Amino acid sequence: MLKTTLRNLLAHRLRLALTAAAIIFGVAFVSGVLTLSNTLSEAFKKASATDYQDVSVDVRPTEDAERDGQVPALDDGLLGALRGLPGVASVRATNTGYTAIVDRDGDRIGGRSNTKGTTFAPGPDGQDPKYRFTSGHGPRGEGEIAIDERAAKDAGYQVGDQVRVVANGPVLTSVLVGVFTTDDARYEVGGTITLFDRATAQELFSEPGRYDDIAVAAAPGTSEEAVLAAVRPLVPSGAEAVTGVKLRADQADEIESGTKELTQVLLVFAGIALFVGTFIIANTFTMLVAQRTREFALLRAIGATRRQITRAVLVEATVLGLVSGAIGFVLGIGLSEALRSLFNSMDAELPPGPVVVAPSAVVAALAVAVVVTVVAAWLPAHRAASIPPVAALRSDLPPTAKSLRTRNGIGAFLLAIGIVICYGVGRTKDKTTGDVYLIMGGGFVALVGVIMLVPLLSTPVIRFAGRPLSAAFGISGRLARENAVRNPRRTAATASALMIGLILVSTLSVFGASLKQELDRIALRGITADYGVSLIGEIPMDPAMAEAVARTPGVTEISQLRSAHVRIGAAADDESGDGTEVVSMDARTGLGLLRADFVKGGPEGFADGLLLGEKKAKDGGFTVGSRVPVAFPDGQRTTLVLSGIYEDDGLLGEAVMSNDTLTPHLDRVVDTDILVRAAPGAAGELRGNLEKALGDNPAVKIMSRDDYRKELGGIVDLLLNLLYGLLGMSIVIAVIGIINTLAMSVFERTREIGMLRAIGMDRRRIRSMIRLESVVISVFGAVLGMALGLLIGVLGVNAAKGTSELTPVVPWERMGVFLVLAGLVGVLAAAWPARRASRMEVLGAIRTE
């Protein structure tokens, strides 16, 4: 039996090649994702290996203090006290924040998140051991900077040049006094580093006389725990002390978590591709078993057992899976680099580094290939073993009506269960996130039921929809329609592969279109300012930016937006409780530039009061006029009068107060956005005036209302296009399935095609027949997939109404594009099978058994 199995593999190598392609693409996706994950993880770990090497204890602001603009007393007094502790060898104090170098063309060097500025902290010898200067020296005073070697090369700067620097305020012009290399993790992962003197770094990133990080190194023979015990009593409010061991462990966990999340997301799409590939594999083995009916029956007649027949088919699947898995793994290595380039083109800022091929990725790729292939081949193998010896007297054994009835019954049951779940939960008025997930689960159950019912649907739908083919293409169209419904199982499996991909694409399109409409509504209705000014990457701005904007010709009104976490209501008395993110604005102009739709009350009293979103007010049991307890980030408590309750939206958040109310409780005052009103007739030229007033800062974004709308919509489109690209692999596999089905169908119908040629059907009509059959199957799968996708999308958006304000929007233009593409897929997939069918030698085809 083993020899027979191997002979069959070689005999059917052409037919198995396309099945192998489906496995290869699916496995390539899996291995590519795992290789990318290992590569990124290794690159991050290598870069950060020396980051905290000499740190025994680190004193830094807590996350809450850093988030809410509180600056702990990490000052020179604390620095001196730490130096005097027993067991402390050295203390290093720094300030760090966003900084970018502007090249000679006015463009930023570096990305948005890994471009940093920090303190040059020399020791008694005047050298900072973290930085090795290749030319010049470290900055010694105001107006001097040093930059890393890569940034200097990219920007074309040399020591002595005037360099423009972007931080969190107006553009700075400094003298380049040094160029260096470093082992800093930010530099190792492709970022840029700018060094400032101590006073300048404090002014830019904290407060004069304050540091945002103090690293303590233990003397030889002193443990980190001993140093920590000595340091803790000196740590001021709003700061924390952690050991180097914890720092390194947290960094390792952060790296692992980040790469793990990316891996999990990508593996979902790899799983979809493999799921689609399962249909192709099962379809191929079903057709191979059907073509070898007499062979298996003869083997049974001469003594082969059912177990041997099953084992023979599964051995074929295993060998096919191993070979395809090995090829797919090799292709996956190249795919990992393609994925890294794709994400970097989207400003993901992934680190450079060599490709890392882990043994676990090899094992996983081969295991996935074998398991998927064997599972898909099991049912055809079971059918093959069930063939009685008497079948040797017949040419084939069609599937029994009983098996189709069983399949249809199970499918109808699952569809009914899914509909009941979706309908029942969908009628709930106040939906929770759990209800949304339950609806999604019901939709998945219904989807499985539909997939099982596709053979039942295919015959009447294709017969009805294929009628125009007979009128338009004559006998070729009629035969194409009849061939498409000849084997409902086969047509269903082929169409289902394309259907699954288009279900997901259509569902995403509905969510994307609905989200874009909601974002448009929020931007156009909520933003009434002519322009908004902000820094890239949500970097907080120094108030000096607002001062420059206010002095700009053509500006009549501005409002600085700030934010902090404030404990409101019952949470005000719970110091461990989570705060509410509060947006603050100018009491006089803010609500005229950022609209609030009040359901109760209004802006009167806002200057020294509080505004709440509808849900926040309801949850706290507050009404207009209520005195609301409030605990500010600096620990002070008070009560504010609730003057208005507004409709919830994504711009104002849950709570709003005036800058005059919030700012006194912030140690470090920064702005998130600046809203601007132009003088009548000055809006057109105001953008240029603002750019000039802010020093042509390449990190500044100046956006009109329409720009906000386009940016928000652009983010949705970018995400959708990325998801479409990731789903593209499953579509490619579905196309391979159509080619495979048609090729094997042509082989089965060799004699029939020969007879058609013999009675006068020319090559052109043969090609048309195969192409039309392919188009019918493709369009059937596409229409079914789009219909289900639209239904799931609309139901999903409606289900989310309890947690969002989305309204279902059907993107009909995209649906039309998908339908046209499905037709083109059918034409392209049929190219090789149609050519092969039309070039058959007539007499040889007729003689085929």
Side-chain angles (χ1 to χ4, degrees):
M1 287 300 296
L2 180 59
K3 289 181 180 179
T4 302
T5 300
L6 295 176
R7 179 184 60 79
N8 283 326
L9 277 171
L10 295 175
H12 303 111
R13 55 185 179 274
L14 182 60
R15 280 174 269 174
L16 290 172
L18 289 172
T19 304
I23 305 170
I24 288 168
F25 278 113
V27 171
F29 207 156
V30 172
S31 66
V33 170
L34 295 177
T35 301
L36 177 63
S37 175
N38 292 328
T39 298
L40 296 180
S41 179
E42 190 65 25
F44 279 120
K45 288 177 181 177
K46 181 180 177 181
S48 60
T50 59
D51 225 21
Y52 297 114
Q53 188 175 8
D54 299 325
V55 179
S56 300
V57 173
D58 194 60
V59 183
R60 60 190 182 183
T62 62
E63 289 185 8
D64 290 344
E66 201 166 22
R67 178 194 63 198
D68 295 329
Q70 301 306 299
V71 182
L74 305 183
D75 52 21
D76 289 327
L78 175 62
L79 211 60
L82 292 174
R83 286 197 178 103
L85 290 175
V88 172
S90 64
V91 178
R92 174 188 173 84
T94 57
N95 298 85
T96 303
Y98 173 82
T99 304
I101 300 299
V102 182
D103 65 18
R104 298 183 187 279
D105 296 325
D107 298 323
R108 287 179 296 111
I109 299 294
R112 297 187 177 203
S113 61
N114 61 359
T115 306
K116 301 294 183 182
T118 189
T119 306
F120 176 67
D125 60 353
Q127 302 297 317
D128 189 331
K130 283 185 70 73
Y131 308 103
R132 300 179 297 277
F133 283 85
T134 57
S135 62
H137 54 80
R140 296 168 180 167
E142 184 180 0
E144 294 183 349
I145 62 167
I147 63 177
D148 65 84
E149 195 173 49
R150 184 169 52 233
K153 182 179 178 181
D154 291 344
Y157 288 131
Q158 296 179 346
V159 171
D161 288 343
Q162 296 283 324
V163 178
R164 298 176 70 220
V165 181
V166 173
N168 61 352
V171 178
L172 305 174
T173 301
S174 305
V175 177
L176 179 62
V177 297
V179 176
F180 60 86
T181 62
T182 179
D183 296 326
D184 190 299
R186 286 180 289 266
Y187 183 70
E188 293 290 335
V189 298
T192 65
I193 298 176
T194 304
L195 298 181
F196 299 94
D197 67 281
R198 180 175 281 105
T200 302
Q202 288 178 340
E203 185 176 352
L204 287 174
F205 309 127
S206 181
E207 292 290 329
R210 299 287 178 92
Y211 303 99
D212 60 27
D213 186 87
I214 301 177
V216 180
T222 305
S223 68
E224 290 186 354
E225 288 72 18
V227 175
L228 179 64
V231 168
R232 268 184 176 158
L234 303 178
V235 175
S237 174
E240 61 180 354
V242 295
T243 63
V245 170
K246 188 177 188 311
L247 284 174
R248 291 184 284 272
D250 289 346
Q251 188 175 55
D253 290 342
E254 185 178 347
I255 291 169
E256 183 179 354
S257 174
T259 54
K260 185 178 179 180
E261 289 176 3
L262 176 62
T263 301
Q264 288 174 341
V265 170
L266 294 177
L267 283 177
V268 168
F269 291 94
I272 293 169
L274 287 169
F275 183 58
V276 171
T278 302
F279 284 88
I280 311 307
I281 300 164
N283 209 15
T284 300
F285 276 93
T286 298
M287 297 173 74
L288 286 173
V289 167
Q291 291 170 11
R292 292 155 58 189
T293 297
R294 297 183 65 183
E295 175 187 327
F296 287 134
L298 285 169
L299 288 172
R300 291 290 312 282
I302 62 175
T305 64
R306 289 188 175 188
R307 182 175 296 179
Q308 287 177 312
I309 297 296
T310 301
R311 190 183 301 149
V313 178
L314 294 181
V315 167
E316 290 184 30
T318 302
V319 173
L320 181 65
L322 284 171
V323 174
S324 303
I327 298 172
F329 177 78
V330 173
L331 291 179
I333 295 174
L335 180 62
S336 70
E337 287 299 286
L339 286 171
R340 179 153 63 169
S341 298
L342 173 65
F343 286 118
N344 277 331
S345 69
M346 299 167 60
D347 292 333
E349 300 177 15
L350 301 181
V355 175
V356 177
V357 179
S360 58
V362 180
V363 173
L366 294 178
V368 165
V370 172
V371 169
V372 169
T373 309
V374 170
V375 168
W378 181 85
L379 187 57
H382 178 71
R383 288 179 186 156
S386 302
I387 298 173
V390 73
L393 302 176
R394 302 178 57 185
S395 60
D396 67 319
L397 280 176
T400 62
K402 180 181 178 181
S403 65
L404 282 175
R405 285 197 300 270
T406 302
R407 173 173 175 156
N408 293 337
I410 296 174
F413 175 76
L414 292 175
L415 179 60
I417 291 294
I419 291 174
V420 168
I421 293 174
C422 292
Y423 180 74
V425 180
R427 294 186 63 187
T428 306
K429 290 185 178 179
D430 296 324
K431 300 181 185 68
T432 64
T433 303
D435 292 331
V436 176
Y437 285 132
L438 190 59
I439 290 175
M440 292 171 62
F444 178 76
V445 172
L447 173 61
V448 174
V450 170
I451 291 174
M452 297 189 71
L453 288 172
V454 172
L456 179 66
L457 297 172
S458 62
T459 300
V461 172
I462 291 178
R463 283 192 187 278
F464 175 78
R467 286 180 180 176
L469 295 180
S470 300
F473 297 95
I475 190 63
S476 296
R478 181 178 177 184
L479 288 173
R481 183 186 64 181
E482 296 303 319
N483 288 334
V485 299
R486 178 181 295 185
N487 190 326
R489 286 180 182 272
R490 181 188 305 168
T491 298
T494 306
S496 294
L498 188 60
M499 179 187 75
I500 292 169
L502 283 171
I503 285 174
L504 296 170
V505 168
S506 301
T507 301
L508 290 172
S509 297
V510 172
F511 272 96
S514 303
L515 181 58
K516 284 185 67 175
Q517 177 180 269
E518 178 63 15
L519 292 175
D520 279 357
R521 184 189 70 80
I522 291 173
L524 294 178
R525 184 176 179 180
I527 301 173
T528 55
D530 292 303
Y531 290 100
V533 179
S534 61
L535 291 178
I536 61 169
E538 301 181 353
I539 300 164
M541 294 180 289
D542 189 282
M545 297 279 283
E547 295 173 6
V549 169
R551 293 193 299 266
T552 304
V555 171
T556 58
E557 290 182 345
I558 73 165
S559 176
Q560 298 153 268
L561 300 186
R562 295 167 185 161
S563 68
H565 278 70
V566 175
R567 300 198 307 277
I568 294 176
D573 297 323
D574 182 6
E575 294 187 1
S576 62
D578 294 331
T580 298
E581 185 171 5
V582 171
V583 173
S584 73
M585 59 182 66
D586 187 278
R588 183 180 61 85
T589 62
L591 292 176
L593 299 172
L594 197 62
R595 175 176 173 174
D597 292 319
F598 289 97
V599 294
K600 293 181 181 178
E604 297 79 12
F606 167 59
D608 54 2
L610 179 69
L611 304 177
L612 290 179
E614 196 170 5
K615 185 176 185 303
K616 185 69 178 178
K618 180 180 179 182
D619 291 344
F622 301 120
T623 60
V624 173
S626 296
R627 300 193 66 83
V628 182
V630 173
F632 290 101
D634 61 354
Q636 294 189 30
R637 291 178 172 83
T638 188
T639 57
L640 298 176
V641 175
L642 180 60
S643 62
I645 300 173
Y646 55 87
E647 290 183 6
D648 294 315
D649 63 38
L651 294 177
L652 293 173
E654 295 182 298
V656 180
M657 60 179 62
S658 70
N659 286 335
D660 293 337
T661 302
L662 179 64
T663 301
H665 303 282
L666 304 178
D667 290 345
R668 185 176 180 224
V669 179
V670 291
D671 301 327
T672 58
D673 295 270
I674 305 168
L675 300 179
V676 180
R677 174 88 69 200
E685 60 183 17
L686 183 56
R687 185 193 294 270
N689 291 342
L690 287 171
E691 291 174 351
K692 184 177 180 180
L694 296 172
D696 293 319
N697 190 331
V700 168
K701 295 193 301 182
I702 301 173
M703 303 178 67
S704 65
R705 296 171 64 201
D706 195 50
D707 291 333
Y708 277 111
R709 181 184 64 81
K710 289 179 179 177
E711 181 179 67
L712 294 173
I715 293 171
V716 175
D717 285 336
L718 180 64
L719 180 60
L720 281 178
N721 291 333
L722 174 61
L723 296 177
Y724 289 161
L726 294 174
L727 286 171
M729 188 69 76
S730 61
I731 303 295
V732 169
I733 293 174
V735 173
I736 292 172
I738 298 172
I739 298 172
N740 204 5
T741 298
L742 290 174
M744 298 184 77
S745 178
V746 166
F747 177 83
E748 285 182 351
R749 288 148 45 193
T750 298
R751 189 173 184 180
E752 175 187 321
I753 292 171
M755 292 294 293
L756 290 172
R757 290 291 314 283
I759 62 175
M761 197 170 187
D762 58 21
R763 291 183 175 183
R764 181 180 60 82
R765 289 181 178 177
I766 292 290
R767 287 195 296 268
S768 296
M769 178 184 71
I770 303 298
R771 289 193 190 108
L772 290 172
E773 180 182 351
S774 176
V775 170
V776 166
I777 294 174
S778 297
V779 172
F780 169 66
V783 170
L784 197 57
M786 287 189 294
L788 289 171
L790 293 178
L791 180 62
I792 293 171
V794 170
L795 290 176
V797 171
N798 279 324
K801 277 192 174 181
T803 57
S804 73
E805 297 298 321
L806 295 181
T807 301
V809 175
V810 177
W812 293 112
E813 300 83 1
R814 292 198 181 195
M815 295 302 106
V817 171
F818 294 156
L819 188 61
V820 171
L821 290 176
L824 292 176
V825 162
V827 173
L828 294 174
W832 177 61
R835 182 173 180 272
R836 184 165 176 253
S838 66
R839 294 173 70 89
M840 285 182 182
E841 197 273 320
V842 178
L843 294 179
I846 293 174
R847 290 197 304 267
T848 301
E849 291 290 336

